Amino acid sequence: MSELVVAEKTQKNNFNFNPYELALVKGDLSKLSDEERTSYVKSICDSLGINMLTKPFEYIEINGKLTLYATKTATDQLRQIHKVSITKTEANQIGDIYMVTVYASTPDGRTDCDTGALNIKNLGGDNLANALMKAITKAKRRVTLSICGLGMLDESELDTIKDYNNTKATLIKDEANELKKLGLELRKTLEDMDLNKEEQNAFIKNNNIFTREKIKELLDDKNKIFELKQGLKNDTNI
């Protein structure tokens, strides 16, 4: 084999993913900016019909990858949106492991099942009762994500993941908390301008105000908010 062929083969195997490819193909959001991450999460929420403003997803870093996990808000909304019905629940115990299998279906005839398991060794009383209920909850959330086509972690599974690095995820969460604080300040400003909650949601969505930078920009320029508000009124006749 010539040196040229070897070099070409080596070059083909030397993949160089850009940040968007890392997010879409490898599920790693760490290389995206906060605005790009917000846009990524918004796209997921839009595709599923989930309200992004209810914080349906949180960040977690596992094996060097910053990824998303679904919160209770996400699974509750998915169950309602897709009319997921829990059809049967089975419980079994193998040694110290208590397992619950939950079966689910949708109106279009699709069915699925998934399992939630917990170690109940040395548990008794309220601790045991809570563990049994948690296993049921975990199974319900897992089957909801599965039947809706989402292969991601549910928040009830986090305590079973050993040695995950939450440092970067904590930083992202701090950014999210700042975003939430700014969002509340923006909503208070809109409320003072006589916009109700539905109109506030329309204002935020129509003007794509989902990042800290955009909210800060508006809060620093109240005249701009007034102009956008007038545009909203003209578009919706409110």
Side-chain angles (χ1 to χ4, degrees), residues 36-37 58 94 100-101 106 132 177 185 192 199 206 233:
E36 290 168 340
R37 282 193 298 269
E58 294 282 0
I94 303 176
V100 175
T101 301
T106 57
L132 301 184
N177 287 335
E185 186 177 346
D192 292 341
E199 293 164 349
N206 291 353
K233 285 185 176 291

Side-chain angles (χ1 to χ4, degrees), residues 210-233:
F210 294 106
T211 65
R212 293 176 299 164
E213 289 75 12
K214 288 189 176 182
I215 297 177
K216 286 179 179 179
E217 180 183 347
L218 285 179
L219 291 175
D220 290 338
D221 186 358
K222 300 296 175 63
N223 289 332
K224 183 65 175 178
I225 296 180
F226 182 78
E227 291 175 7
L228 294 175
K229 175 197 170 187
Q230 291 303 113
L232 177 67
K233 285 185 176 291

Side-chain angles (χ1 to χ4, degrees), residues 35-218:
E35 185 170 355
E36 290 168 340
R37 282 193 298 269
T38 300
S39 177
Y40 179 82
V41 175
K42 182 177 181 298
S43 296
I44 293 177
C45 290
D46 288 345
S47 69
L48 296 170
I50 294 178
N51 185 354
M52 178 183 178
L53 302 178
T54 60
K55 294 182 66 177
F57 302 106
E58 294 282 0
Y59 297 100
I60 184 173
E61 188 176 14
I62 304 176
N63 297 327
K65 295 180 181 179
L66 185 69
T67 186
L68 295 172
Y69 68 86
T71 67
K72 179 180 183 297
T73 299
T75 50
D76 285 352
Q77 288 188 48
L78 286 171
R79 194 175 292 120
Q80 180 180 14
I81 292 168
H82 297 280
K83 295 179 171 36
V84 177
S85 298
I86 304 300
T87 58
K88 185 171 65 172
T89 301
E90 296 176 345
N92 294 287
Q93 186 171 343
I94 303 176
D96 296 323
I97 305 300
Y98 182 77
M99 298 185 357
V100 175
T101 301
V102 169
Y103 298 80
S105 66
T106 57
D108 59 2
R110 291 184 300 114
T111 60
D112 204 340
C113 68
D114 215 320
T115 301
L118 282 177
N119 189 335
I120 59 172
K121 184 177 181 179
N122 299 326
L123 295 182
D126 290 341
N127 290 334
L128 178 59
N130 290 334
L132 301 184
M133 289 188 291
K134 188 171 183 179
I136 296 174
T137 298
K138 181 183 293 188
K140 285 183 177 179
R141 293 184 185 176
R142 283 173 59 89
V143 76
T144 298
L145 293 174
S146 178
I147 202 169
C148 293
L150 278 181
M152 63 171 56
L153 285 170
D154 167 68
E155 65 179 336
S156 65
E157 301 176 81
L158 297 185
D159 57 359
T160 63
I161 301 174
K162 294 183 178 179
D163 302 326
Y164 69 83
N165 182 0
N166 206 32
T167 303
K168 185 174 293 185
T170 299
L171 293 176
I172 300 299
K173 192 170 183 179
D174 289 342
E175 292 178 1
N177 287 335
E178 182 187 357
L179 178 62
K180 181 179 179 181
K181 184 178 179 180
L182 290 170
L184 291 174
E185 186 177 346
L186 175 62
R187 284 186 176 275
K188 179 64 170 61
T189 301
L190 295 175
E191 185 178 347
D192 292 341
M193 291 184 173
D194 297 324
L195 291 184
N196 61 36
K197 187 172 182 180
E198 182 179 347
E199 293 164 349
Q200 293 171 28
N201 289 341
F203 179 91
I204 293 171
K205 182 177 180 180
N206 291 353
N207 295 292
N208 198 28
I209 308 170
F210 294 106
T211 65
R212 293 176 299 164
E213 289 75 12
K214 288 189 176 182
I215 297 177
K216 286 179 179 179
E217 180 183 347
L218 285 179

